[in-house]
Amino acid sequence: MSFISKELNRNQIINIFKNLTGDSFDVNEQKLPQYKENYFRLYIDDNENEFLELFFGNDGRLASFGYSVIYFDYRKNTEIRECGNHRVLSRIAPAVKNYLKFAIEYLEHNTPLHQNAERLYFFMNKNI
């Protein structure tokens, strides 16, 4: 079994954000040890092998976004990882902004929220 990594470009990641609007997600409950304080993972359909990444600066603005998935290709007997992460230099792509708006609404109606989900909600509200 081998491990193949496919790096996604910015447009592919933006399309993933666009296509996931309306789907459920779970926010990592605690700060991940190897990442900075304002880094969040939004796990898609309770799958820890597929998630959107959001990193906010101290000012509450989205600094970077990304996507990562690991899956097994049974035909090739290979584990595949597709991922990519991109910095926000000037403006947030409309599809990403729409996803953030959806996420705010989802978190508003998904009570009770754990502490890290509340922090994410705070950052998104500051940014949108």
Side-chain angles (χ1 to χ4, degrees):
M1 181 173 75
S2 61
F3 188 79
I4 297 173
S5 183
K6 177 185 173 190
E7 186 72 21
L8 299 174
N9 67 39
R10 186 174 190 271
N11 288 338
Q12 287 172 307
I13 294 173
I14 288 170
N15 281 334
I16 289 165
F17 272 83
K18 181 192 253 179
N19 294 331
L20 285 175
T21 302
D23 290 356
S24 64
F25 62 87
D26 290 317
V27 182
N28 55 298
E29 290 199 26
Q30 299 176 5
K31 176 190 172 296
L32 300 171
Q34 65 273 34
Y35 292 93
K36 293 184 179 180
E37 189 68 29
N38 302 331
Y39 171 84
F40 299 90
R41 285 185 178 175
L42 282 61
Y43 299 105
I44 300 163
D45 293 332
D46 294 329
N47 181 1
E48 290 195 3
N49 289 324
E50 184 178 17
F51 54 86
L52 299 171
E53 299 176 295
L54 299 172
F55 176 66
F56 294 86
N58 291 330
D59 61 356
R61 294 189 178 278
L62 186 65
S64 67
F65 60 87
Y67 171 79
S68 183
V69 64
I70 297 173
Y71 59 91
F72 194 80
D73 187 332
Y74 289 96
R75 289 174 296 136
K76 297 179 182 176
N77 195 30
T78 303
E79 193 172 67
I80 297 174
R81 179 174 190 257
E82 297 184 21
C83 64
N85 191 283
H86 293 276
R87 295 190 65 181
V88 176
L89 299 176
S90 55
R91 69 182 191 91
I92 302 171
V96 176
K97 203 164 196 168
N98 286 341
Y99 189 87
L100 293 180
K101 287 178 183 174
F102 154 73
I104 288 171
E105 289 180 22
Y106 181 83
L107 291 172
E108 279 178 349
H109 297 98
N110 188 20
T111 55
L113 296 179
H114 55 73
Q115 192 173 4
N116 211 37
E118 285 181 358
R119 290 183 68 248
L120 172 63
Y121 179 74
F122 168 77
F123 279 113
M124 286 191 299
N125 261 326
K126 237 177 139 177
N127 191 55
I128 299 300

